[in-house]
Structure formats: C-alpha cells, structure tokens
Amino acid sequence: MADEKKRLLTGLQSSGQLHIGNYLGALKRFVGAYADYESMLMVADLHALTSVKNPAQLREGIIDVVADYIAVGVDPTKATIFKQSDVLEHPELAWIFECLVTVPFLQQAHAFKDKVAKGLEANAGLFNYPMLMAADILLYDTDVVPVGEDQRQHIEYAREAAAKFNLAYGDTFKEPKEMILEGVGTVPGVDGKKMSKSYGNTIPLFGTDEAIRVAVMSIKTDSTAVGAPLNPTTDITFQLHQHFTPNLAEIQKRYMDGTIGYKESKELLAHNIIATIAPMRERRAALSREAVIQILKDGAEVARARAQAKMKDVREKIGVGLY
Ligand code: TYM
C-alpha cells in the first residue's frame, strides 16, 4: 500500500480559554506526535454547543482554538485542521450509532453522570455526546487519539460503537486506541482537583502575565511554616513545576531542605510558565483571523472528502443508500 502512515485524530471543544491542563494533556502530546501520523485536529464546536449558548462566544472560541493549535507549534500544512460543524457526516454517523446503543449504556458516561449527580439538568446533546465523539473518531479510520485521562471512557465508547456496528453490518470501523501521556493524564488545578473550566480552578494558557500570576499565587497549600521542609510529592505547585521548570532537581532539594517557601515556589512557577509560553504568544499574535479562516476552509475540504467516502459505504451497509 502507498500510504502506510497510521492515523491520529484529536479534538478540543471551543468553549472558552484553553488552560494548561489542555496544553499538557492534549496539545503538547499532539505536537510531539503528529508528524509521525496522518493527523487530523478537530475543533469540536458542535460538542461546545452542549454548554455555550452565546453565538459570539462560540464564534470567537472556534478562532481561538485554531490559533492555540498553531501557537503551540502545529504546522497546518502537516495536519488537517477543521471544525466538526463543517462535516455533516459527523452528526449523521452519531445518529446511526445512537440507534445501536442503549440508554443505560449512555447513562454510564461520566460527563452525564456527573451533571445528574450535581442535581443539574443535562441536555440531550450532553447525553448523546459520546456517540458524536465516536463518529468524530471512527469516520476517519483513526488509529490513535491523544487525550487526557478524563477522555479515556469516551475512547472506550468509540470502540464499543465500532464493535456494535461491525457486528450488525460487517467489518467497517477500526477500533481506536487512546494515547495518554504518563504524568499529564490529569493535570491538577489550583485547588488540587482536575484542572477544568467547569471547576473554575484553571491557569489560563494564553492569559496575560497578570492572569497567570494571579492564578498561580492562588494554588492551595498547607500551613507549613516558612523555613520548614516541604513535601514535593503532595504539593500542587511542585507537580506543575515538573512541566515548566528546567532545574527541577534543585527545586526538589530546596523543598526538602526547607530553603524555599510556597510563595517563592509559586513566583518561580509563574515565571517559568510565562517564559515557556512567550514564543507561543508571539506565534499567536502573528496569526490573522483571515489566516485562521483559510486554514479551516482548507481543512474542511480534506475532512469532507474523507468523511463522504466513508459514509457512502456506511449508508449502503445500513440500507439507506439506494443511489
Ligand atoms: P476538552 O475540550 O474538554 O479538552 C481537550 C483536551 O484536554 C484534555 N484535558 C486535560 N488533560 C489533562 N489534565 C487536565 N486537567 C485536562 N483537562 C482537559 C482533555 O482530556 C482533552 O484531551 N470530548 C473532548 C473533545 C472531543 C474529542 C473528539 C477529543 C470531541 N471529539 C474526538 C478527541 C477525539 C473534550 O471534551 O475535550
């Protein structure tokens, strides 16, 4: 075969400012791997609709996610960057999967269960979310999906959808594998829980220096007195140092000697985060809105052609493709 490259696809919702959990768990992972695969990067704008009801916010969110991908180092000539809503085969395939899986199966999905457990009313889009995500992945015969730990179950659901379809209609979809990087599967937020927009505990990836400093200085600590040794394994600030601080061994030693306090450690972390993202910010600032829109238009053409070829086969198999 001429094309032996495996396929990689990932997606990010366009539902607000990306945080350093998204960066470490998904974007950085993608940047490290995508050149070795036939890669697709998707802006999950239909998924974002489950929570974003403001059109201006959704529009800006889409542009922002693409700018963020480019800023962290994705070359749009090497990966197909597109938005979900440009390829209508995604919701079409999601519907077909929804007709194969049961309600109790979808009720077990974490995102839905969490919402219900909090006593909140989930919309039907949130309930069906995993099947749209399965369609995103399976439409393109994806081999690997770089994501954070919180998406592991969604990849299992995609495998399950593929298996159910294959069983009912014959071998059609590949079962994908998650690619979760050790140590960054769950990046903690400033309160120690998983960093998440919905918990309000994030450190913004492309915030102002001040916003990054304010978030870092608010990281939860215990009440160990200045001058006493600190425990690097339990400290949230130290966990984040591991991803941004070059002289980590020295900082670890200072924790154990008691020669660094929480305040100094946080100031150093904020400084190192800002230094890491400085070149990314420059790339982001150099990118025009028109350039982002062109990237999305070009990506949509490539994605559409692939998705349409796959769906032709699917429609024939399920019995709706008559001509
Ligand atoms: P989203 O937009 O919530 O998150 C984007 C990516 O960031 C990862 N992530 C984290 N990783 C480590 N630590 C954290 N604290 C953290 N918070 C978020 C997520 O795991 C994710 O990889 N359902 C997906 C979007 C999606 C998708 C897809 C992904 C739609 N279709 C197809 C892959 C393939 C989501 O909600 O991502």
Side-chain angles (χ1 to χ4, degrees), residues 76 80-82 291-303:
T80 302
I81 302 179
F82 72 105
V292 168
I293 288 174
Q294 195 55 50
I295 289 167
L296 283 171
K297 284 185 177 171
D298 294 345
E301 272 186 44
V302 176

Side-chain angles (χ1 to χ4, degrees), residues 9-15 18-27 42-44 47 84 129 132-134 136-137 145-152 154-155 184-189 193-197:
L9 178 142
T10 198
L12 277 99
Q13 291 190 71
S14 46
S15 50
L18 294 190
H19 53 71
I20 63 169
N22 298 133
Y23 169 60
L24 295 170
L27 282 171
M42 190 194 73
V43 182
H47 276 127
Q84 200 176 27
Y129 188 113
L132 181 56
M133 183 155 158
D136 301 338
I137 297 168
V145 189
V147 281
E149 184 63 45
D150 60 345
Q151 298 298 311
R152 185 187 290 277
H154 283 151
I155 316 299
V184 292
T186 308
V187 176
K193 285 196 288 189
K194 182 194 94 165
M195 189 176 289
S196 167
K197 272 167 282 196

